[in-house]
Coordinates of all heavy atoms in Angstrom, one line a residue:
M1 N -0.3 -17.7 18.6 CA -0.5 -16.3 18.6 C -1.5 -15.8 17.6 O -1.5 -16.2 16.5 CB 0.9 -15.6 18.4 CG 0.8 -14.1 18.4 SD 2.4 -13.4 18.3 CE 2.1 -11.9 19.2
A2 N -2.4 -15.0 18.1 CA -3.5 -14.6 17.2 C -3.0 -13.6 16.1 O -2.0 -12.9 16.4 CB -4.6 -13.9 18.0
I3 N -3.6 -13.6 15.0 CA -3.3 -12.7 13.9 C -4.5 -11.8 13.7 O -5.6 -12.3 13.4 CB -3.0 -13.4 12.6 CG1 -1.7 -14.3 12.8 CG2 -2.8 -12.5 11.4 CD1 -1.4 -15.2 11.7
T4 N -4.3 -10.5 13.7 CA -5.4 -9.5 13.5 C -5.0 -8.6 12.3 O -3.8 -8.1 12.3 CB -5.7 -8.7 14.7 OG1 -6.1 -9.6 15.8 CG2 -6.8 -7.7 14.5
R5 N -5.9 -8.4 11.4 CA -5.6 -7.6 10.2 C -6.7 -6.6 10.0 O -7.8 -6.8 10.4 CB -5.5 -8.5 9.0 CG -4.6 -9.6 9.1 CD -4.6 -10.5 7.9 NE -5.9 -10.9 7.6 CZ -6.3 -11.3 6.3 NH1 -5.5 -11.4 5.3 NH2 -7.6 -11.7 6.1
Q6 N -6.3 -5.5 9.4 CA -7.2 -4.4 8.9 C -6.9 -4.3 7.4 O -5.8 -4.0 7.1 CB -7.0 -3.1 9.6 CG -7.8 -2.0 9.1 CD -7.5 -0.7 9.7 OE1 -7.6 -0.5 10.9 NE2 -7.0 0.3 8.9
I7 N -8.0 -4.4 6.6 CA -7.8 -4.3 5.2 C -8.8 -3.2 4.7 O -10.0 -3.3 5.0 CB -8.0 -5.6 4.5 CG1 -7.2 -6.7 5.1 CG2 -7.8 -5.5 3.0 CD1 -7.6 -8.1 4.7
I8 N -8.3 -2.3 4.0 CA -9.1 -1.2 3.4 C -9.2 -1.4 1.9 O -8.3 -1.5 1.2 CB -8.4 0.2 3.7 CG1 -8.3 0.4 5.2 CG2 -9.3 1.3 3.1 CD1 -7.5 1.6 5.6
F9 N -10.5 -1.5 1.5 CA -10.8 -1.5 0.1 C -11.5 -0.2 -0.3 O -12.3 0.3 0.4 CB -11.9 -2.7 -0.1 CG -11.4 -4.0 0.2 CD1 -11.6 -4.6 1.4 CD2 -10.7 -4.8 -0.8 CE1 -11.1 -5.9 1.7 CE2 -10.3 -6.1 -0.5 CZ -10.5 -6.6 0.7
L10 N -11.1 0.3 -1.4 CA -11.7 1.5 -2.0 C -12.4 1.1 -3.3 O -11.7 0.7 -4.3 CB -10.6 2.6 -2.3 CG -9.9 3.1 -1.1 CD1 -8.8 4.1 -1.5 CD2 -10.8 3.7 -0.1
A11 N -13.7 1.2 -3.3 CA -14.5 0.8 -4.5 C -14.3 1.9 -5.6 O -14.1 3.1 -5.3 CB -15.9 0.7 -4.1
K12 N -14.4 1.4 -6.8 CA -14.6 2.4 -7.9 C -15.9 3.1 -7.7 O -16.9 2.5 -7.2 CB -14.6 1.6 -9.2 CG -13.3 0.9 -9.5 CD -13.4 0.1 -10.8 CE -12.1 -0.7 -11.0 NZ -12.2 -1.6 -12.2
R13 N -16.0 4.4 -8.0 CA -17.2 5.2 -7.7 C -18.5 4.6 -8.3 O -19.5 4.7 -7.6 CB -17.0 6.6 -8.2 CG -15.9 7.3 -7.4 CD -16.5 8.6 -6.9 NE -15.5 9.2 -6.0 CZ -15.5 9.3 -4.7 NH1 -16.6 8.8 -4.1 NH2 -14.6 9.9 -4.0
D14 N -18.4 3.9 -9.4 CA -19.6 3.3 -10.0 C -19.8 1.9 -9.6 O -20.7 1.2 -10.1 CB -19.5 3.4 -11.5 CG -18.3 2.7 -12.1 OD1 -17.3 2.4 -11.4 OD2 -18.3 2.5 -13.4
C15 N -19.0 1.4 -8.6 CA -19.1 0.0 -8.2 C -19.3 -0.2 -6.7 O -19.1 -1.2 -6.1 CB -17.9 -0.8 -8.6 SG -17.7 -0.9 -10.4
I16 N -19.8 0.9 -6.0 CA -19.9 0.8 -4.5 C -20.9 -0.3 -4.1 O -20.6 -1.1 -3.3 CB -20.4 2.2 -4.0 CG1 -19.3 3.2 -4.2 CG2 -20.7 2.1 -2.5 CD1 -19.7 4.6 -3.9
K17 N -22.0 -0.4 -4.7 CA -23.1 -1.4 -4.4 C -22.5 -2.8 -4.6 O -22.8 -3.7 -3.8 CB -24.3 -1.1 -5.1 CG -25.1 0.1 -4.7 CD -26.4 0.3 -5.5 CE -27.1 1.5 -5.2 NZ -28.3 1.8 -6.0
E18 N -21.8 -3.0 -5.7 CA -21.3 -4.3 -6.1 C -20.2 -4.8 -5.1 O -20.3 -5.9 -4.6 CB -20.8 -4.3 -7.5 CG -21.8 -4.1 -8.6 CD -22.2 -2.7 -8.9 OE1 -21.7 -1.8 -8.2 OE2 -22.9 -2.5 -9.8
L19 N -19.3 -3.9 -4.7 CA -18.3 -4.3 -3.8 C -18.9 -4.5 -2.4 O -18.5 -5.5 -1.7 CB -17.2 -3.2 -3.7 CG -16.0 -3.6 -2.8 CD1 -15.3 -4.9 -3.2 CD2 -15.0 -2.5 -2.7
K20 N -19.8 -3.7 -2.0 CA -20.5 -3.9 -0.7 C -21.2 -5.2 -0.7 O -21.1 -6.0 0.3 CB -21.5 -2.8 -0.5 CG -22.3 -2.8 0.8 CD -23.2 -1.6 1.0 CE -23.9 -1.6 2.3 NZ -24.7 -0.4 2.5
A21 N -21.9 -5.6 -1.7 CA -22.6 -6.9 -1.7 C -21.6 -8.1 -1.7 O -21.8 -9.1 -1.0 CB -23.5 -7.0 -3.0
L22 N -20.5 -7.9 -2.4 CA -19.5 -9.0 -2.4 C -18.9 -9.1 -1.0 O -18.7 -10.3 -0.5 CB -18.4 -8.7 -3.5 CG -17.4 -9.8 -3.7 CD1 -18.0 -11.1 -4.2 CD2 -16.4 -9.3 -4.7
L23 N -18.5 -8.0 -0.4 CA -18.0 -8.1 1.0 C -19.0 -8.7 1.9 O -18.6 -9.5 2.8 CB -17.5 -6.7 1.4 CG -16.3 -6.2 0.8 CD1 -16.1 -4.7 1.0 CD2 -15.1 -6.9 1.4
K24 N -20.2 -8.3 1.9 CA -21.3 -8.8 2.7 C -21.4 -10.3 2.6 O -21.7 -11.0 3.5 CB -22.6 -8.1 2.5 CG -22.7 -6.7 3.1 CD -24.0 -6.0 2.8 CE -25.1 -6.6 3.6 NZ -26.3 -5.8 3.5
S25 N -21.2 -10.8 1.4 CA -21.4 -12.2 1.1 C -20.4 -13.1 1.8 O -20.6 -14.3 1.9 CB -21.4 -12.5 -0.4 OG -20.1 -12.4 -1.0
T26 N -19.3 -12.5 2.3 CA -18.2 -13.3 2.9 C -18.5 -13.4 4.4 O -17.8 -14.3 5.1 CB -16.9 -12.6 2.7 OG1 -16.8 -11.4 3.4 CG2 -16.5 -12.5 1.2
I27 N -19.3 -12.6 5.0 CA -19.4 -12.5 6.5 C -19.8 -13.8 7.2 O -19.1 -14.3 8.0 CB -20.2 -11.3 6.9 CG1 -19.6 -10.0 6.4 CG2 -20.4 -11.3 8.4 CD1 -20.5 -8.8 6.5
E28 N -21.0 -14.3 6.8 CA -21.6 -15.4 7.5 C -20.7 -16.6 7.5 O -20.4 -17.2 8.5 CB -22.9 -15.7 6.9 CG -23.7 -16.8 7.7 CD -25.1 -17.0 7.2 OE1 -25.6 -16.2 6.5 OE2 -25.6 -18.1 7.5
D29 N -20.2 -17.0 6.3 CA -19.4 -18.2 6.2 C -18.0 -18.1 6.9 O -17.5 -19.0 7.5 CB -19.2 -18.6 4.7 CG -20.4 -19.2 4.1 OD1 -21.3 -19.7 4.8 OD2 -20.5 -19.1 2.9
T30 N -17.5 -16.9 6.8 CA -16.2 -16.7 7.4 C -16.3 -16.7 9.0 O -15.4 -17.4 9.6 CB -15.6 -15.3 7.0 OG1 -15.4 -15.3 5.6 CG2 -14.2 -15.1 7.7
K31 N -17.3 -16.2 9.5 CA -17.5 -16.2 11.0 C -17.7 -17.6 11.5 O -17.4 -17.9 12.7 CB -18.7 -15.3 11.4 CG -18.4 -13.8 11.3 CD -19.5 -13.0 11.9 CE -19.2 -11.6 12.0 NZ -20.2 -10.8 12.6
K32 N -18.1 -18.5 10.7 CA -18.3 -19.9 11.1 C -17.1 -20.8 11.0 O -17.0 -21.9 11.5 CB -19.4 -20.6 10.1 CG -20.8 -20.0 10.3 CD -21.7 -20.7 9.3 CE -23.1 -20.2 9.4 NZ -24.0 -20.8 8.4
E33 N -16.0 -20.2 10.4 CA -14.8 -21.0 10.2 C -14.1 -21.2 11.6 O -14.1 -20.4 12.5 CB -13.8 -20.2 9.3 CG -14.2 -20.2 7.9 CD -13.2 -19.4 7.1 OE1 -12.0 -19.7 7.2 OE2 -13.6 -18.5 6.3
E34 N -13.5 -22.4 11.7 CA -12.7 -22.8 12.9 C -11.5 -21.9 12.9 O -10.9 -21.7 11.9 CB -12.3 -24.2 12.8 CG -11.6 -24.7 14.0 CD -11.2 -26.2 13.9 OE1 -11.9 -27.0 13.2 OE2 -10.3 -26.6 14.6
G35 N -11.3 -21.3 14.0 CA -10.1 -20.4 14.2 C -10.4 -18.9 13.9 O -9.5 -18.1 14.2
C36 N -11.6 -18.6 13.5 CA -12.0 -17.2 13.3 C -12.4 -16.6 14.6 O -13.4 -17.0 15.2 CB -13.1 -17.1 12.2 SG -13.6 -15.4 11.9
L37 N -11.7 -15.6 15.1 CA -12.0 -15.0 16.3 C -12.9 -13.8 16.1 O -13.7 -13.4 16.9 CB -10.7 -14.5 17.1 CG -9.7 -15.6 17.4 CD1 -8.5 -15.0 17.9 CD2 -10.3 -16.6 18.3
M38 N -12.7 -13.1 14.9 CA -13.5 -11.9 14.6 C -13.5 -11.7 13.1 O -12.4 -11.9 12.5 CB -13.0 -10.7 15.3 CG -13.7 -9.4 15.0 SD -13.1 -7.9 15.8 CE -11.5 -7.8 15.0
Y39 N -14.6 -11.3 12.5 CA -14.6 -10.9 11.1 C -15.7 -9.9 11.0 O -16.9 -10.2 11.1 CB -14.9 -12.1 10.2 CG -14.7 -11.8 8.8 CD1 -13.5 -11.8 8.2 CD2 -15.8 -11.5 8.0 CE1 -13.3 -11.5 6.8 CE2 -15.7 -11.2 6.6 CZ -14.4 -11.2 6.1 OH -14.3 -10.9 4.7
E40 N -15.3 -8.6 10.8 CA -16.3 -7.5 10.7 C -15.9 -6.7 9.4 O -14.8 -6.4 9.1 CB -16.2 -6.6 11.9 CG -16.5 -7.3 13.2 CD -17.9 -7.8 13.4 OE1 -18.8 -7.4 12.6 OE2 -18.1 -8.7 14.2
V41 N -17.0 -6.3 8.8 CA -16.9 -5.4 7.5 C -17.6 -4.1 7.8 O -18.8 -4.1 8.2 CB -17.5 -6.2 6.3 CG1 -17.3 -5.3 5.1 CG2 -16.8 -7.5 6.1
F42 N -16.9 -3.0 7.5 CA -17.5 -1.7 7.8 C -17.4 -0.9 6.5 O -16.5 -1.0 5.7 CB -16.6 -0.9 8.8 CG -16.5 -1.6 10.1 CD1 -15.5 -2.5 10.4 CD2 -17.5 -1.4 11.1 CE1 -15.4 -3.2 11.6 CE2 -17.3 -2.0 12.3 CZ -16.3 -2.9 12.6
Q43 N -18.4 0.0 6.3 CA -18.4 1.0 5.3 C -18.2 2.4 5.9 O -19.0 2.7 6.8 CB -19.6 1.0 4.4 CG -19.6 1.9 3.2 CD -20.9 1.8 2.4 OE1 -21.9 1.3 2.8 NE2 -20.8 2.3 1.1
T44 N -17.3 3.2 5.5 CA -17.1 4.5 6.1 C -18.2 5.4 5.8 O -18.5 5.6 4.6 CB -15.7 5.1 5.6 OG1 -14.7 4.1 5.9 CG2 -15.4 6.3 6.3
K45 N -18.8 6.0 6.8 CA -20.0 6.9 6.5 C -19.5 8.2 5.8 O -20.3 8.7 4.9 CB -20.6 7.3 7.8 CG -21.4 6.2 8.5 CD -22.1 6.8 9.7 CE -23.1 5.7 10.3 NZ -23.9 6.2 11.4
S46 N -18.4 8.7 6.1 CA -18.0 10.0 5.4 C -17.4 9.8 4.1 O -17.2 10.7 3.3 CB -16.9 10.7 6.3 OG -15.8 9.9 6.5
N47 N -17.0 8.5 3.7 CA -16.5 8.2 2.4 C -17.0 6.9 1.9 O -16.4 5.9 2.2 CB -14.9 8.2 2.5 CG -14.3 8.0 1.2 OD1 -14.9 8.1 0.1 ND2 -13.0 7.8 1.2
P48 N -18.2 6.8 1.3 CA -18.8 5.6 1.0 C -18.1 4.6 0.1 O -18.5 3.5 0.0 CB -20.2 6.0 0.4 CG -20.0 7.4 0.1 CD -18.9 8.0 0.9
V49 N -17.0 5.1 -0.6 CA -16.2 4.2 -1.4 C -15.3 3.3 -0.5 O -14.7 2.3 -1.0 CB -15.4 4.9 -2.5 CG1 -16.3 5.7 -3.4 CG2 -14.3 5.7 -1.9
E50 N -15.1 3.7 0.7 CA -14.2 3.0 1.6 C -14.8 1.9 2.5 O -15.8 2.2 3.2 CB -13.5 4.0 2.5 CG -12.4 3.4 3.4 CD -11.7 4.5 4.2 OE1 -12.3 5.2 5.0 OE2 -10.4 4.6 4.0
F51 N -14.3 0.7 2.4 CA -14.7 -0.4 3.2 C -13.5 -0.9 4.0 O -12.4 -1.0 3.5 CB -15.3 -1.5 2.3 CG -16.5 -1.1 1.5 CD1 -16.4 -0.6 0.3 CD2 -17.8 -1.4 2.1 CE1 -17.5 -0.2 -0.4 CE2 -18.9 -1.0 1.4 CZ -18.8 -0.4 0.1
I52 N -13.8 -1.3 5.2 CA -12.7 -1.8 6.1 C -13.1 -3.1 6.6 O -14.2 -3.3 7.2 CB -12.5 -0.8 7.3 CG1 -12.1 0.6 6.7 CG2 -11.4 -1.4 8.2 CD1 -12.0 1.7 7.8
V53 N -12.2 -4.1 6.4 CA -12.4 -5.4 7.0 C -11.4 -5.6 8.1 O -10.2 -5.4 7.9 CB -12.2 -6.5 5.9 CG1 -12.3 -7.9 6.5 CG2 -13.2 -6.4 4.7
I54 N -11.9 -6.0 9.3 CA -11.0 -6.3 10.4 C -11.3 -7.7 10.8 O -12.5 -8.1 11.0 CB -11.3 -5.4 11.6 CG1 -11.0 -3.9 11.2 CG2 -10.4 -5.8 12.8 CD1 -11.4 -2.9 12.3
D55 N -10.3 -8.5 10.7 CA -10.4 -10.0 11.0 C -9.3 -10.4 12.0 O -8.2 -9.8 12.0 CB -10.5 -10.8 9.8 CG -9.3 -10.8 8.9 OD1 -8.4 -10.0 9.1 OD2 -9.2 -11.6 8.0
S56 N -9.6 -11.4 12.8 CA -8.7 -11.9 13.7 C -8.8 -13.5 13.7 O -9.9 -14.0 13.7 CB -9.0 -11.4 15.1 OG -8.0 -11.7 16.0
W57 N -7.6 -14.1 13.7 CA -7.5 -15.6 13.6 C -6.7 -16.1 14.8 O -5.7 -15.5 15.2 CB -6.9 -15.9 12.3 CG -7.8 -15.3 11.2 CD1 -7.7 -14.1 10.6 CD2 -8.9 -16.0 10.5 NE1 -8.6 -13.9 9.6 CE2 -9.4 -15.1 9.6 CE3 -9.5 -17.2 10.7 CZ2 -10.5 -15.4 8.8 CZ3 -10.6 -17.5 9.9 CH2 -11.0 -16.6 8.9
E58 N -7.1 -17.3 15.2 CA -6.3 -18.0 16.3 C -4.8 -18.2 16.0 O -4.0 -18.1 16.9 CB -6.9 -19.3 16.6 CG -8.2 -19.2 17.4 CD -8.8 -20.6 17.7 OE1 -8.2 -21.6 17.3 OE2 -9.8 -20.6 18.4
S59 N -4.6 -18.4 14.7 CA -3.2 -18.8 14.3 C -3.0 -18.5 12.8 O -4.0 -18.3 12.1 CB -2.9 -20.2 14.6 OG -3.7 -21.1 13.8
E60 N -1.8 -18.6 12.4 CA -1.5 -18.5 10.9 C -2.1 -19.7 10.2 O -2.6 -19.5 9.1 CB 0.0 -18.4 10.7 CG 0.4 -18.1 9.3 CD 1.8 -17.8 9.1 OE1 2.5 -17.5 10.1 OE2 2.3 -17.8 7.9
E61 N -2.1 -20.8 10.8 CA -2.7 -22.0 10.2 C -4.2 -21.8 10.0 O -4.7 -22.1 8.9 CB -2.5 -23.2 11.1 CG -3.1 -24.5 10.6 CD -3.0 -25.7 11.5 OE1 -2.4 -25.5 12.6 OE2 -3.5 -26.7 11.1
A62 N -4.9 -21.2 10.9 CA -6.4 -20.9 10.7 C -6.6 -19.9 9.6 O -7.5 -20.1 8.7 CB -7.0 -20.4 12.0
L63 N -5.7 -18.9 9.5 CA -5.8 -17.9 8.4 C -5.5 -18.6 7.1 O -6.3 -18.3 6.1 CB -4.9 -16.7 8.6 CG -4.8 -15.7 7.6 CD1 -6.2 -15.0 7.3 CD2 -3.8 -14.6 7.9
N64 N -4.5 -19.4 7.0 CA -4.2 -20.1 5.8 C -5.4 -21.0 5.3 O -5.6 -21.2 4.1 CB -2.9 -20.9 5.9 CG -1.7 -20.0 5.9 OD1 -1.7 -18.9 5.4 ND2 -0.6 -20.5 6.6
K65 N -6.1 -21.7 6.3 CA -7.2 -22.5 5.9 C -8.3 -21.6 5.3 O -9.1 -22.0 4.4 CB -7.7 -23.3 7.1 CG -6.8 -24.4 7.5 CD -7.4 -25.2 8.7 CE -6.5 -26.4 9.0 NZ -7.0 -27.1 10.2
H66 N -8.5 -20.4 5.9 CA -9.5 -19.5 5.3 C -9.2 -19.2 3.9 O -10.2 -19.1 3.1 CB -9.4 -18.1 6.2 CG -10.1 -17.0 5.5 ND1 -11.5 -17.0 5.4 CD2 -9.7 -15.8 5.0 CE1 -11.9 -15.8 4.9 NE2 -10.8 -15.1 4.6
Y67 N -7.9 -19.1 3.5 CA -7.6 -18.8 2.1 C -8.0 -19.9 1.2 O -8.1 -19.8 -0.1 CB -6.1 -18.6 1.9 CG -5.6 -17.3 2.6 CD1 -4.3 -17.3 3.2 CD2 -6.4 -16.2 2.7 CE1 -3.9 -16.1 3.8 CE2 -5.9 -15.0 3.3 CZ -4.6 -15.0 3.9 OH -4.2 -13.9 4.5
E68 N -8.3 -21.1 1.7 CA -8.7 -22.3 0.9 C -10.2 -22.5 0.8 O -10.6 -23.4 0.1 CB -8.0 -23.5 1.5 CG -6.5 -23.5 1.5 CD -5.9 -24.6 2.3 OE1 -6.6 -25.5 2.7 OE2 -4.6 -24.6 2.4
T69 N -11.0 -21.6 1.4 CA -12.4 -21.8 1.4 C -13.1 -21.3 0.1 O -12.5 -20.4 -0.6 CB -13.1 -21.1 2.6 OG1 -12.8 -19.7 2.4 CG2 -12.5 -21.6 3.9
P70 N -14.2 -21.9 -0.3 CA -14.9 -21.5 -1.5 C -15.3 -20.0 -1.4 O -15.2 -19.3 -2.4 CB -16.1 -22.4 -1.6 CG -15.7 -23.6 -0.7 CD -14.8 -23.1 0.3
H71 N -15.8 -19.5 -0.3 CA -16.2 -18.1 -0.2 C -15.1 -17.2 -0.3 O -15.2 -16.1 -0.9 CB -17.1 -17.9 1.1 CG -16.4 -18.3 2.3 ND1 -16.5 -19.5 2.8 CD2 -15.7 -17.6 3.2 CE1 -15.8 -19.6 4.0 NE2 -15.3 -18.4 4.2
Y72 N -13.9 -17.5 0.2 CA -12.7 -16.6 0.0 C -12.3 -16.6 -1.5 O -12.1 -15.6 -2.1 CB -11.6 -17.1 0.8 CG -10.3 -16.2 0.7 CD1 -10.2 -15.0 1.3 CD2 -9.3 -16.6 -0.2 CE1 -9.1 -14.2 1.1 CE2 -8.2 -15.8 -0.4 CZ -8.1 -14.6 0.3 OH -7.0 -13.8 0.1
S73 N -12.3 -17.8 -2.1 CA -12.0 -17.9 -3.6 C -12.9 -17.1 -4.4 O -12.5 -16.4 -5.3 CB -12.0 -19.4 -4.0 OG -11.0 -20.1 -3.4
H74 N -14.2 -17.2 -4.1 CA -15.2 -16.4 -4.8 C -14.9 -14.9 -4.7 O -15.0 -14.2 -5.7 CB -16.6 -16.7 -4.3 CG -17.7 -15.9 -5.0 ND1 -18.1 -16.1 -6.3 CD2 -18.4 -14.8 -4.5 CE1 -19.0 -15.2 -6.5 NE2 -19.2 -14.4 -5.5
F75 N -14.6 -14.5 -3.5 CA -14.3 -13.1 -3.3 C -13.1 -12.6 -4.1 O -13.1 -11.7 -4.8 CB -14.1 -12.8 -1.8 CG -13.7 -11.4 -1.5 CD1 -14.7 -10.4 -1.6 CD2 -12.4 -11.0 -1.3 CE1 -14.3 -9.0 -1.4 CE2 -12.0 -9.7 -1.1 CZ -13.0 -8.7 -1.2
I76 N -12.0 -13.4 -3.9 CA -10.7 -13.0 -4.6 C -10.9 -13.0 -6.1 O -10.3 -12.2 -6.8 CB -9.6 -14.0 -4.2 CG1 -9.2 -13.7 -2.7 CG2 -8.4 -14.0 -5.1 CD1 -8.6 -12.3 -2.5
N77 N -11.7 -13.9 -6.6 CA -11.8 -14.0 -8.1 C -12.8 -12.9 -8.6 O -12.8 -12.7 -9.9 CB -12.4 -15.4 -8.5 CG -11.3 -16.4 -8.3 OD1 -10.1 -16.2 -8.4 ND2 -11.8 -17.6 -7.9
N78 N -13.4 -12.1 -7.7 CA -14.4 -11.2 -8.2 C -14.2 -9.7 -7.8 O -14.7 -8.8 -8.4 CB -15.8 -11.6 -7.8 CG -16.2 -12.8 -8.6 OD1 -16.6 -12.7 -9.8 ND2 -16.2 -14.0 -8.0
F79 N -13.4 -9.5 -6.7 CA -13.4 -8.1 -6.1 C -12.6 -7.1 -7.0 O -12.9 -5.9 -7.0 CB -12.8 -8.2 -4.7 CG -11.3 -8.0 -4.6 CD1 -10.7 -6.8 -4.4 CD2 -10.5 -9.1 -4.8 CE1 -9.4 -6.6 -4.3 CE2 -9.1 -9.0 -4.7 CZ -8.6 -7.8 -4.4
K80 N -11.6 -7.6 -7.8 CA -10.8 -6.6 -8.5 C -11.6 -5.8 -9.5 O -11.2 -4.6 -9.7 CB -9.7 -7.4 -9.2 CG -8.6 -7.9 -8.3 CD -7.5 -8.6 -9.0 CE -6.6 -9.2 -8.0 NZ -5.5 -10.0 -8.6
Q81 N -12.6 -6.3 -10.0 CA -13.4 -5.5 -11.0 C -14.1 -4.3 -10.4 O -14.5 -3.4 -11.0 CB -14.4 -6.4 -11.7 CG -15.4 -7.0 -10.8 CD -16.3 -8.1 -11.5 OE1 -16.7 -7.9 -12.7 NE2 -16.6 -9.2 -10.9
Y82 N -14.3 -4.4 -9.0 CA -15.0 -3.3 -8.3 C -14.1 -2.4 -7.5 O -14.5 -1.4 -7.0 CB -16.1 -3.9 -7.3 CG -17.0 -4.9 -8.0 CD1 -17.1 -6.2 -7.4 CD2 -17.7 -4.6 -9.1 CE1 -18.0 -7.1 -8.0 CE2 -18.5 -5.6 -9.7 CZ -18.7 -6.8 -9.1 OH -19.5 -7.7 -9.7
N83 N -12.9 -2.9 -7.3 CA -12.0 -2.3 -6.3 C -11.0 -1.3 -7.0 O -10.4 -1.7 -8.0 CB -11.2 -3.4 -5.6 CG -10.5 -2.9 -4.4 OD1 -11.1 -2.4 -3.4 ND2 -9.2 -2.9 -4.4
A84 N -10.8 -0.1 -6.5 CA -9.9 0.8 -7.0 C -8.5 0.7 -6.3 O -7.5 1.0 -6.9 CB -10.4 2.2 -6.8
H85 N -8.5 0.3 -5.0 CA -7.3 0.2 -4.3 C -7.5 -0.6 -3.0 O -8.6 -0.7 -2.5 CB -6.9 1.6 -3.9 CG -5.6 1.7 -3.2 ND1 -4.4 1.4 -3.8 CD2 -5.3 2.0 -1.9 CE1 -3.4 1.6 -2.9 NE2 -3.9 2.0 -1.7
I86 N -6.4 -1.3 -2.6 CA -6.5 -2.1 -1.3 C -5.3 -1.7 -0.5 O -4.2 -1.5 -1.0 CB -6.5 -3.6 -1.6 CG1 -6.6 -4.4 -0.3 CG2 -5.3 -4.0 -2.4 CD1 -6.8 -5.9 -0.6
E87 N -5.5 -1.6 0.8 CA -4.4 -1.3 1.8 C -4.5 -2.3 2.9 O -5.3 -2.2 3.8 CB -4.5 0.1 2.4 CG -4.3 1.2 1.4 CD -4.4 2.6 2.0 OE1 -4.1 2.7 3.2 OE2 -4.7 3.5 1.3
P88 N -3.6 -3.4 2.9 CA -3.7 -4.3 4.0 C -2.7 -3.9 5.1 O -1.6 -3.4 4.9 CB -3.1 -5.6 3.3 CG -2.3 -5.1 2.2 CD -2.8 -3.8 1.8
F89 N -3.2 -4.1 6.4 CA -2.3 -3.8 7.5 C -2.5 -5.0 8.5 O -3.6 -5.4 8.7 CB -2.9 -2.6 8.3 CG -2.8 -1.3 7.5 CD1 -3.9 -0.9 6.8 CD2 -1.7 -0.5 7.5 CE1 -3.9 0.3 6.1 CE2 -1.6 0.6 6.8 CZ -2.7 1.1 6.0
E90 N -1.3 -5.5 9.0 CA -1.4 -6.5 10.0 C -1.2 -5.8 11.3 O -0.3 -5.0 11.5 CB -0.3 -7.6 9.8 CG -0.5 -8.8 10.6 CD 0.3 -10.0 10.2 OE1 0.2 -10.3 9.0 OE2 1.0 -10.5 11.0
L91 N -2.0 -6.1 12.3 CA -2.0 -5.4 13.6 C -1.4 -6.3 14.6 O -1.6 -7.5 14.6 CB -3.4 -5.0 14.0 CG -4.2 -4.2 12.9 CD1 -5.6 -4.0 13.4 CD2 -3.5 -2.8 12.7
E92 N -0.7 -5.7 15.6 CA -0.2 -6.4 16.7 C -0.7 -5.8 18.0 O -0.7 -4.6 18.2 CB 1.3 -6.3 16.7 CG 2.0 -7.1 17.8 CD 3.5 -7.1 17.7 OE1 4.1 -6.7 16.7 OE2 4.1 -7.5 18.7
L93 N -1.3 -6.7 18.8 CA -1.8 -6.2 20.1 C -0.7 -5.9 21.1 O 0.2 -6.6 21.2 CB -2.7 -7.3 20.7 CG -3.4 -7.0 22.0 CD1 -4.4 -5.8 21.8 CD2 -4.2 -8.2 22.5
L94 N -0.8 -4.7 21.7 CA 0.3 -4.3 22.6 C -0.1 -4.6 24.1 O -1.2 -4.8 24.4 CB 0.5 -2.8 22.5 CG 0.9 -2.3 21.1 CD1 1.1 -0.8 21.2 CD2 2.2 -3.0 20.7

């Protein structure tokens, strides 16, 4: 069963460019991962501090492998300095 998530990141006001660059750096490598069905990063036009990541994975196993990649580790080890808040949501297709 596929897993789809929506994650909202809110950048600190003085770190919008840095968080945007860090999020953009994950896109290419993540989309190449086996089991990645979708990986998109958005910046909200009306609220530029808000970034939304929507990703979908073939299985929990594929998602867990994603957590072991160098690009994910780089992101996790660096995003907190730019991020004011995170809201993860797991979505279920009806």
Side-chain angles (χ1 to χ4, degrees):
M1 178 175 209
I3 296 171
T4 302
R5 306 174 309 155
Q6 172 184 303
I7 306 165
I8 300 172
F9 296 91
L10 297 177
K12 295 176 184 174
R13 292 232 174 255
D14 60 341
C15 297
I16 294 170
K17 289 179 184 178
E18 292 84 354
L19 184 57
K20 182 177 184 174
L22 187 60
L23 285 164
K24 284 178 73 173
S25 75
T26 66
I27 296 170
E28 186 176 339
D29 287 337
T30 300
K31 285 185 172 187
K32 291 178 185 176
E33 288 181 50
E34 185 176 336
C36 180
L37 302 174
M38 178 183 67
Y39 188 83
E40 301 295 341
V41 180
F42 302 90
Q43 183 176 22
T44 306
K45 286 185 174 185
S46 62
N47 185 11
V49 302
E50 183 176 60
F51 295 88
I52 301 170
V53 176
I54 300 175
D55 61 352
S56 189
W57 302 88
E58 286 180 355
S59 64
E60 189 170 342
E61 180 183 359
L63 178 57
N64 288 335
K65 285 183 181 179
H66 168 66
Y67 295 145
E68 298 172 4
T69 63
H71 53 275
Y72 179 80
S73 294
H74 175 75
F75 177 78
I76 285 300
N77 291 328
N78 290 285
F79 90 96
K80 289 180 184 177
Q81 62 187 321
Y82 309 128
N83 195 64
H85 183 68
I86 181 173
E87 294 182 26
F89 297 95
E90 192 165 309
L91 305 174
E92 183 176 345
L93 183 62
L94 301 179

